[in-house]
Amino acid sequence: EAQRFYGIQRLAAIEAQLKWGPLGRALGPGYLANGARNFIMSSTSFVAVPSLYKKYYPAEQRSESTLFWFGLGVNIFAGNTLAITQQALWGRSLDYASAGGGRAVSYSAVVRDGFQKEGASAFFTVPKWGARVLMNAPIQGTMPWFYNQVLPRGEPALLRAIGKFFPEDTPSIIKP
C-alpha cells in the first residue's frame, strides 16, 4: 500500500534513503499502523461479532437477519471507529516517513504532531468515520453472516466435487 500511496519511484527513493533490508522493504513505511487497522477490522468480523453474538445475543432472537444487522452494527460503531484512528495514523506515518527524502517512522512523534496541530480531529472526525463506514461496512460488517449463512449452503456440493477428484483423501462423510 505504501507503493500505491507514494508511487513506485518515490517509494524506491525513500527505501534507498532508509537503507532498509528485504524485510523492511516488504513491510513498508507505516506498517504497524496499517497492520493495526487490518487487525482491528479482521478481529471485528471474525472474532468479536461471532463471539458477542453467540454469548450475548438472546438465543430466541437469533436468525440470519439478526446476525446480518448485528455484524453490520458492530462493524460500523466499533470496528470502524477504532480503525479510522489507525488509518489516519498510517497516512500521517507515510507523510512523516517521506520528509527529507526518507526517515524512519516515529509513531510517538506522529501522534504528538497530529494532536498538536489538529487535536483529536487528526485521528477521528465524523466525516472520516462516515467515509470509512461507507467504504468498508457493507462487506466487512456482513462477513460473519455470509460465512455462517451463505457459504454453508454450497459446502456439500463443493465437498462432493472435491471428493470426485481426490477420492482417496476424502473423508467418508463427504464421498459422492
Side-chain angles (χ1 to χ4, degrees):
E1 288 192 46
Q3 186 181 69
R4 186 175 45 154
F5 183 84
Y6 292 130
I8 294 171
Q9 287 80 18
R10 187 165 178 213
L11 178 60
I14 291 168
E15 287 174 340
Q17 173 79 16
L18 293 171
K19 297 180 178 73
W20 283 345
L23 181 62
R25 285 193 309 276
L27 297 178
Y31 174 79
L32 291 177
N34 190 22
R37 177 200 63 197
N38 293 339
F39 176 81
I40 289 166
M41 295 312 300
S42 295
S43 297
T44 300
S45 293
F46 297 113
V47 179
V49 167
S51 299
L52 293 171
Y53 188 80
K54 182 178 179 180
K55 187 166 182 156
Y56 296 110
Y57 208 90
E60 63 278 0
Q61 294 178 9
R62 291 184 197 156
S63 69
E64 288 182 26
S65 178
T66 60
L67 177 59
F68 179 89
W69 291 109
F70 183 79
L72 203 54
V74 170
N75 182 270
I76 289 170
F77 296 108
N80 276 293
T81 299
L82 294 172
I84 62 166
T85 64
Q86 299 309 297
Q87 179 99 16
L89 179 60
W90 177 66
R92 289 173 176 279
S93 297
L94 292 178
D95 289 338
Y96 183 92
S98 68
R103 62 180 172 175
V105 174
S106 167
Y107 288 103
S108 60
V110 172
V111 170
R112 189 173 36 258
D113 184 59
F115 275 115
Q116 286 174 349
K117 289 181 179 174
E118 299 174 47
S121 65
F123 301 100
F124 182 89
T125 64
V126 172
K128 284 178 188 174
W129 175 79
R132 179 138 186 99
V133 164
L134 289 173
M135 180 175 51
N136 288 308
I139 184 62
Q140 199 84 37
T142 59
M143 276 187 186
W145 166 81
F146 181 79
Y147 277 101
N148 287 289
Q149 301 299 327
V150 177
L151 283 183
R153 293 176 184 177
E155 187 175 21
L158 176 64
L159 292 175
R160 283 192 301 276
I162 290 170
K164 289 179 182 179
F165 292 101
F166 305 101
E168 66 280 355
D169 296 329
T170 306
S172 60
I173 59 169
I174 60 169
K175 287 197 183 234

